[in-house]
Amino acid sequence: MHPCLHSCPARGLAFRYSFRSTCGLWHSSRSCLQRRRQTFQSAAPSAVLTRPQSGLSIPGVGDLSKLANVDLSDVPDGRYREVEAVSYVSRRRMDQADFDPYEIDTDGLPLVYNEERIASFWKGKPGELTSRWARFAAVSAPWLTKLAYAVIQGKLEERQDHLAREAVINMEKLGPTFIKLGQILSIRPDVLPPSVMTELSKLQDNMPTFPTTDARATVERELGQPIDAIFSEFSVRPVAAASLAQVYRARLRSNGQEVAVKVQRPGALATISKDLYVMRRAVGVYERIIRRFTAQDTDYQLLLSTFAEGLYTEMDFRNEALNMERMTMLMEQSEFGSRDVIIPKPVMERTTRRVLVMDWVTGVKLTGLPPAEIRRLVATGQEAFLTQLLEVGFFHGDPHPGNLLKVTEGPHAGKLALLDFGLVAEIPEADREAMVSATIHLANRDWNGLINDFIALQFLPASSDRGLIIPVMDKVLGPYLKGGGAKSLDFQSLSQDLIRTSMQIPFSVPPYMSLLARSTATLEGIALMGDPNYQMVSQAYPFVVRKVLRNSTSGSALLLRDLMYDSNGNVKPTRLSALLNAALGYVADQTQGFIDFDAVPEDGASIQDTISFLLAPEARQLRPLLVKELVTGLDFYTRDRLQRAYNSLPSLAPRIPFLGPLPLPPLPSPLLFVPGLGFQPAEQLLQKLAPPLSQTEEVYLQSLLEVASGLLGVRPADLDQPSLSATLQLLTNPSTQIQELQQALTALSGQTANSQVVQEMVEDVLEQLMAIQSQRADVPRNILFPFVPAPQTRKLPAPAVVYAEV
């Protein structure tokens, strides 16, 4: 990373999504430094890194030692965002009748994030503003100078432990806003070495507490009663301390309920609003620096506004309580059903802007569990997160380790507890659909479709130059796909390479992506502690499949087509097998890419579970695809058998010992009657109705036979060239899979709904086979098959819906 970017007080806040770990900051090497120098020299020839005689001179910033001398009054304010404008940050309080968007505290500081009023407030206090900027400069400038020198000299790895210790001390000195940054970085084992993570983790485990006397005074002032009148028990010391608040264990006097009492740090609002104002004034300067070295078109003012609004909203505990209630309701109504996740219930009558009372949960942080437990609970957490993100569009924006607990006591012991709902984001349905679509298009290397998705998500403008973008996408994203050869298949590595495209592609970062990126990176970071080979997108595949299958819109039908078909319009058999397993929650432990939809798990779903799923309403969009594959397989297999049988007729001639087959005169081909065609020579009829397979069709038939042999537990050769002995063996001693299939069909045959679905599928298969023969014979179906009545209205979705564009 170019040192000028390190001088930004808002790095890790407004900029953290885009620049936090380019080239692996903590894992820099001389070669990486060389590449970085070359990159920036080619992007901006004037920006050459040189060691100054005194201080550290950075192009566009100046001497870092003089950072405190910057006059913020000379920096423009930028645009102000309307307080009630549409936001991705969940602000449930705005729905309440008593909500006042212009509410202020006793000092006149806005209680609701309002950029114009915050600016007006701090403009009236130039002394405090200058003092805060000087404090930031005094704390950060020496550290930034040491970091920049370490990068330039190639000694970052050597000095990383010392720099990490200083960073922790500096973040604690600078307060809650900067502590948030440290909390994000402290759970990234793929970005930071263990020694650095250990230091940063102190921001979560050993946060300095504020006096309990101050906390009790806040509770009494907010609730309007003495603590002893409200609680029969109230812990002498806090049980947890965070950047914005600390938590006490207590018991309500009214009903004896054990509760957690979250109390906001005194002065937190003033400190954070001041920090955010300083950052807002500075972001315009650093935005120009970023655009000097990249082709990014991101609106960093808007990005900072989203982060700032989220952080500001976290300080209204009434909003957090409403978020908890809404999340509980949405998760219970979703397919996930909150079976393995609990969310503490708030005590609304005892909750104010600075005090939150909720159910007490006894548990252990995920990061303190054995790897096997981390893997189990991360799987639960990921399912919950994907449900929030892609199904209900209401997701937890800050799932750091302190907010994810394994419950150890009570009726919910063993479950995953989600805490701290101060920062929750809302994602529109259109964006959620575009995210699923982008995942599928990326897996298929459909760069044109991916560009459409990025335009829908506002990453790219509608006028994007596809001729420029597609080669860059292929070069940057291709290695992460199946067969691409990328060494690291994690979200962080992919993010870093995506960031590098900013040098060539003018993309922007939508405001909510700062929240989404933090949540995704945090979950993956925790998962990597339990499993260094964890691949987030692969593990999320079952959810993507179920979402596509559940949605009956034409867009989802096209996505299913994109997911299952190759460029020739043929279903990919291995992908169909992987999809069926994924729909039932089974994924491969190891894949060949960051996104690999062809990986079939070794221990997948049982035959009975697979058949039950295929006959269930959820698979209604998948059944036409399965019918088409049955039709294709039966057609290819029948044609191949008939051609082989006809070609083997000469071998049936009598053989003379030692001389071979008895020569026979050529016999005329027998005539066969076909409705609509009359009498036709058998050989001519065979070539017309069962033409030989092309080379492509032969390969496809072999892939279908391999899938069928795996399903039935037999060798592919036993299906391709079945011998009498192999057939007798199957009949007398069927494989385990065949026995399971028999049992599944027996169990399902007694269910009327299943029998009806099977009957409709069989009728559809026969109807499509007759349509194929009718087309080959060039004879209307009702004439070619006069004794088979025309089909009635189908209850299966019309195959044309899925395959219209193949």
Side-chain angles (χ1 to χ4, degrees):
M1 184 180 296
H2 196 277
C4 69
L5 299 181
H6 287 291
S7 65
C8 174
R11 182 188 175 265
L13 295 173
F15 298 163
R16 71 180 183 280
Y17 173 71
S18 294
F19 288 98
R20 68 168 175 251
S21 56
T22 303
C23 290
L25 178 61
W26 286 101
H27 296 293
S28 290
S29 62
R30 290 184 181 276
S31 60
C32 184
L33 178 59
Q34 181 68 25
R35 289 194 302 272
R36 187 181 299 114
R37 282 173 171 163
Q38 292 171 351
T39 297
F40 283 104
Q41 287 170 2
S42 62
S46 62
V48 180
L49 300 179
T50 58
R51 183 167 180 169
Q53 295 297 320
S54 62
L56 181 63
S57 180
I58 304 298
V61 176
D63 192 336
L64 280 175
S65 63
K66 299 178 181 179
L67 191 62
N69 297 332
V70 174
D71 186 356
L72 289 186
S73 63
D74 295 335
V75 181
D77 285 333
R79 304 179 307 277
Y80 289 130
R81 182 178 176 278
E82 292 294 332
V83 66
E84 295 187 82
V86 175
S87 171
Y88 285 103
V89 176
S90 171
R91 300 177 297 179
R92 310 311 305 173
R93 277 277 295 148
M94 292 185 68
D95 296 335
Q96 296 190 309
D98 63 344
F99 176 76
D100 180 5
Y102 301 104
E103 185 180 5
I104 59 175
D105 66 4
T106 54
D107 295 326
L109 190 65
L111 296 177
V112 179
Y113 184 65
N114 185 319
E115 292 173 349
E116 186 172 7
R117 286 177 175 250
I118 290 174
S120 176
F121 178 86
W122 288 112
K123 282 180 180 178
K125 299 180 180 295
E128 291 188 39
L129 186 61
T130 302
S131 174
R132 181 58 178 166
W133 177 258
R135 173 64 173 165
F136 166 77
V139 171
S140 63
W143 187 87
L144 291 169
T145 303
K146 292 177 184 178
L147 176 63
Y149 274 137
V151 172
I152 293 172
Q153 296 169 357
K155 296 182 178 181
L156 184 57
E157 185 174 354
E158 173 187 332
R159 302 174 186 175
Q160 64 186 14
D161 292 352
H162 177 71
L163 287 169
R165 284 191 292 271
E166 283 196 12
V168 169
I169 295 171
N170 290 343
M171 288 175 180
E172 290 177 347
K173 288 179 180 177
L174 291 171
T177 314
F178 297 91
I179 286 172
K180 285 289 184 181
L181 170 63
Q183 289 176 334
I184 296 168
L185 295 178
S186 70
I187 44 78
R188 292 311 312 233
D190 53 334
V191 176
L192 304 177
S195 58
V196 177
M197 290 174 57
T198 299
E199 292 299 325
L200 290 180
S201 67
K202 295 176 183 178
L203 289 166
Q204 296 170 345
D205 298 331
N206 297 312
M207 273 294 302
T209 61
F210 60 87
T212 296
T213 53
D214 292 349
R216 293 174 68 95
T218 298
V219 172
E220 291 181 343
R221 183 171 60 253
E222 290 290 309
L223 300 184
Q225 289 180 271
I227 276 203
D228 293 340
I230 304 170
F231 304 103
S232 58
E233 300 175 14
F234 195 92
S235 59
V236 177
R237 296 181 179 84
V239 295
S243 54
L244 298 181
Q246 58 192 33
V247 178
Y248 293 85
R249 190 170 186 172
R251 191 177 298 276
L252 289 174
R253 184 173 295 280
S254 59
N255 57 11
Q257 178 185 354
E258 192 171 22
V259 294
V261 182
K262 182 176 179 180
V263 185
Q264 190 172 121
R265 286 181 177 272
L269 182 67
T271 300
I272 286 176
S273 65
K274 192 187 302 180
D275 285 343
L276 294 175
Y277 175 69
V278 169
M279 291 174 186
R280 181 168 180 78
R281 301 297 295 273
V283 73
V285 175
Y286 295 103
E287 188 174 50
R288 291 194 294 271
I289 295 174
I290 289 171
R291 290 177 179 172
R292 178 180 178 183
F293 295 109
T294 76
Q296 276 198 4
D297 195 28
T298 297
D299 187 339
Y300 283 98
Q301 292 280 355
L302 185 57
L303 196 61
L304 176 60
S305 291
T306 301
F307 173 80
E309 181 185 33
L311 188 57
Y312 217 89
T313 304
E314 282 189 73
M315 291 184 288
D316 187 344
F317 293 168
R318 297 167 298 184
N319 193 76
E320 179 175 355
L322 293 171
N323 285 340
M324 295 166 72
E325 289 189 329
R326 179 166 176 79
M327 184 68 79
T328 300
M329 179 191 71
L330 292 175
M331 293 295 284
E332 288 177 350
Q333 294 175 352
S334 71
E335 181 193 12
F336 183 74
S338 297
R339 297 178 300 275
D340 302 312
V341 169
I342 65 166
I343 298 171
K345 182 179 180 180
V347 182
M348 296 301 296
E349 62 272 18
R350 295 298 185 186
T351 294
T352 69
R353 193 181 69 81
R354 294 184 178 88
V355 174
L356 171 60
V357 180
M358 56 189 158
D359 290 344
W360 174 262
V361 176
T362 302
V364 180
K365 292 181 182 180
L366 262 60
T367 49
L369 296 173
E373 280 287 274
I374 293 178
R375 287 194 294 271
R376 180 182 70 83
L377 291 171
V378 161
T380 300
Q382 177 173 274
E383 183 80 1
F385 174 74
L386 289 170
T387 298
Q388 296 168 18
L389 174 63
L390 298 178
E391 184 176 344
V392 301
F394 191 78
F395 76 92
H396 194 303
D398 191 19
H400 68 72
N403 296 336
L404 301 171
L405 303 181
K406 176 191 175 183
V407 182
T408 55
E409 295 181 9
H412 299 295
K415 294 184 178 181
L416 177 68
L418 301 183
L419 309 178
D420 191 354
F421 286 81
L423 182 58
V424 175
E426 299 186 72
I427 304 297
E429 174 68 22
D431 286 5
R432 304 201 299 267
E433 297 292 342
M435 290 177 191
V436 173
S437 177
T439 303
I440 294 173
H441 288 149
L442 177 58
N444 287 343
R445 298 176 186 263
D446 181 358
W447 307 126
N448 200 54
L450 187 60
I451 289 175
N452 291 336
D453 299 326
F454 279 4
I455 291 173
L457 290 168
Q458 300 177 29
F459 278 100
L460 294 171
S463 59
S464 296
D465 183 348
R466 295 174 187 252
L468 169 68
I469 294 174
I470 288 177
V472 177
M473 280 187 166
D474 187 44
K475 180 179 178 181
V476 174
L477 301 178
Y480 290 90
L481 306 178
K482 182 179 178 180
K487 294 181 179 179
S488 299
L489 300 174
D490 54 79
F491 179 81
Q492 184 65 25
S493 298
L494 176 60
S495 297
Q496 292 175 14
D497 281 345
L498 279 172
I499 290 165
R500 286 212 293 267
T501 65
S502 67
M503 296 290 180
Q504 306 171 56
I505 298 176
F507 74 91
S508 62
V509 179
Y512 68 86
M513 285 304 299
S514 60
L515 306 178
L516 175 57
R518 177 165 72 172
S519 298
T520 305
T522 300
L523 282 175
E524 187 188 48
I526 296 172
L528 289 170
M529 292 181 177
D531 181 5
N533 297 316
Y534 179 80
Q535 296 174 9
M536 188 168 196
V537 175
S538 296
Q539 296 300 315
Y541 184 37
F543 192 94
V544 173
V545 168
R546 291 198 297 272
K547 181 169 179 62
V548 172
L549 292 177
R550 280 197 305 268
N551 197 329
S552 60
T553 63
S554 59
S556 289
L558 294 175
L559 279 180
L560 184 60
R561 181 209 69 184
D562 291 341
L563 184 62
M564 297 308 305
Y565 282 81
D566 61 23
S567 57
N568 296 320
N570 295 321
V571 167
K572 306 168 186 175
T574 54
R575 185 168 289 193
L576 176 59
S577 179
L579 182 143
L580 290 173
N581 277 283
L584 292 165
Y586 296 88
V587 294
D589 293 330
Q590 294 295 322
T591 64
Q592 298 181 38
F594 182 74
I595 302 178
D596 182 4
F597 291 162
D598 297 312
V600 180
E602 293 183 5
D603 298 320
S606 67
I607 291 178
Q608 181 163 347
D609 288 342
T610 302
I611 294 177
S612 297
F613 168 75
L614 287 172
L615 300 180
E618 191 176 36
R620 62 186 179 276
Q621 289 207 84
L622 188 57
R623 283 196 288 271
L625 183 150
L626 182 62
V627 165
K628 180 179 182 296
E629 285 311 291
L630 287 173
V631 170
T632 301
L634 289 172
D635 178 59
F636 286 6
Y637 190 77
T638 303
R639 287 162 53 192
D640 185 61
R641 295 306 97 181
L642 288 173
Q643 287 288 338
R644 289 190 185 191
Y646 183 79
N647 293 333
S648 67
L649 287 178
S651 66
L652 301 179
R655 302 178 65 87
I656 301 175
F658 307 108
L659 296 178
L662 182 65
L664 296 174
L667 299 175
S669 179
L671 298 178
L672 299 177
F673 178 79
V674 176
L677 292 177
F679 287 96
Q680 297 280 328
E683 181 177 2
Q684 181 179 339
L685 198 59
L686 175 67
Q687 302 308 318
K688 190 178 188 68
L689 299 181
L693 298 182
S694 67
Q695 185 177 3
T696 301
E697 290 173 332
E698 287 180 355
V699 172
Y700 191 62
L701 176 59
Q702 289 302 315
S703 66
L704 290 177
L705 291 176
E706 288 177 6
V707 172
S709 64
L711 180 66
L712 299 175
V714 299
R715 298 181 307 163
D718 292 337
L719 296 178
D720 187 31
Q721 296 179 346
S723 63
L724 179 60
S725 60
T727 303
L728 291 175
Q729 175 71 14
L730 286 177
L731 293 175
T732 58
N733 187 23
S735 65
T736 303
Q737 288 94 322
I738 291 179
Q739 293 179 37
E740 289 180 4
L741 180 60
Q742 292 172 338
Q743 294 170 3
L745 293 175
T746 302
L748 295 170
S749 62
Q751 302 177 18
T752 304
N754 289 333
S755 298
Q756 184 177 358
V757 173
V758 171
Q759 179 181 348
E760 291 172 351
M761 291 179 67
V762 170
E763 291 176 356
D764 208 43
V765 168
L766 294 175
E767 186 60 35
Q768 290 192 37
L769 285 172
M770 288 189 289
I772 290 173
Q773 294 303 319
S774 175
Q775 183 178 13
R776 287 178 183 155
D778 195 20
V779 175
R781 177 214 172 277
N782 62 326
I783 296 177
L784 188 62
F785 301 98
F787 302 109
V788 181
Q792 299 178 354
T793 303
R794 311 303 300 165
K795 294 186 179 180
L796 287 170
V801 173
V802 180
Y803 315 121
E805 297 186 12
V806 174

